[in-house]
Amino acid sequence: MKNYFLKTFALSFFLLLGLVSFAQDYETPELAIERLKEKRAEVIEIIINQENDKTMSYFKAVASQKIIDAMLGDFKEGKSVEEVAIENSATMKMNHVQIVKPMFPDSNGRYGTNWINEELLVLLEKK
């Protein structure tokens, strides 16, 4: 007889161990906000310099600015660094459909942000 209970228990134990070992350690809200503001200044400079020559980096900068503004708005609402990171994570959530968003604007002027989120979330993590 195969012991499915033991196999299920062992699998769930290792899964939980993996989740705990990959837990993120985040910066203080003040340092996270400071890093986001520095990144926002860099992004605005890219937007201004490439306004007439709209390359991929221009569109990435525009999308990054929108995400940073949303993150800073979350901090103004009083959310913790972890809440902001989880809310802006591009990872697939349970019972949600994964949508791949394009980098170029659609007919409504919206940009894709899935991989840009991950680049910005690094600013919130301790180094």
Side-chain angles (χ1 to χ4, degrees):
M1 181 175 154
K2 297 177 182 170
N3 194 342
Y4 291 110
F5 174 74
L6 185 59
K7 288 180 183 179
T8 305
F9 177 74
L11 180 64
S12 61
F13 174 74
F14 288 122
L15 180 64
L16 179 63
L17 183 64
L19 290 175
V20 171
S21 67
F22 291 115
Q24 294 294 326
D25 195 16
Y26 296 105
E27 293 288 354
T28 62
E30 295 81 20
L31 187 57
I33 290 170
E34 182 180 327
R35 285 183 180 173
L36 286 174
K37 286 182 178 179
E38 289 173 2
K39 184 67 174 180
R40 187 173 187 275
E42 292 174 18
V43 164
I44 289 174
E45 184 177 334
I46 291 171
I47 292 171
I48 291 170
N49 291 337
Q50 295 188 358
E51 193 169 6
N52 296 329
D53 182 29
K54 296 182 179 176
T55 61
M56 180 65 92
S57 59
Y58 171 84
F59 292 110
K60 179 182 174 186
V62 170
S64 296
Q65 181 186 6
K66 290 180 181 184
I67 295 168
I68 291 170
D69 289 342
M71 288 177 156
L72 291 173
D74 288 343
F75 280 119
K76 285 181 182 176
E77 291 176 4
K79 294 183 180 177
S80 69
V81 179
E82 186 175 3
E83 289 174 330
V84 172
I86 290 171
E87 215 170 270
N88 290 288
S89 176
T91 57
M92 192 165 151
K93 298 178 180 83
M94 293 293 286
N95 300 325
H96 284 80
V97 176
Q98 181 69 26
I99 299 172
V100 177
K101 298 178 183 177
M103 277 302 302
F104 296 100
D106 61 9
S107 59
N108 297 324
R110 290 180 288 179
Y111 296 88
T113 58
N114 284 345
W115 58 275
I116 297 173
N117 284 25
E118 296 300 324
E119 290 181 6
L120 295 175
L121 290 176
V122 172
L123 300 173
L124 305 179
E125 299 171 1
K126 283 190 177 179
K127 294 182 180 182

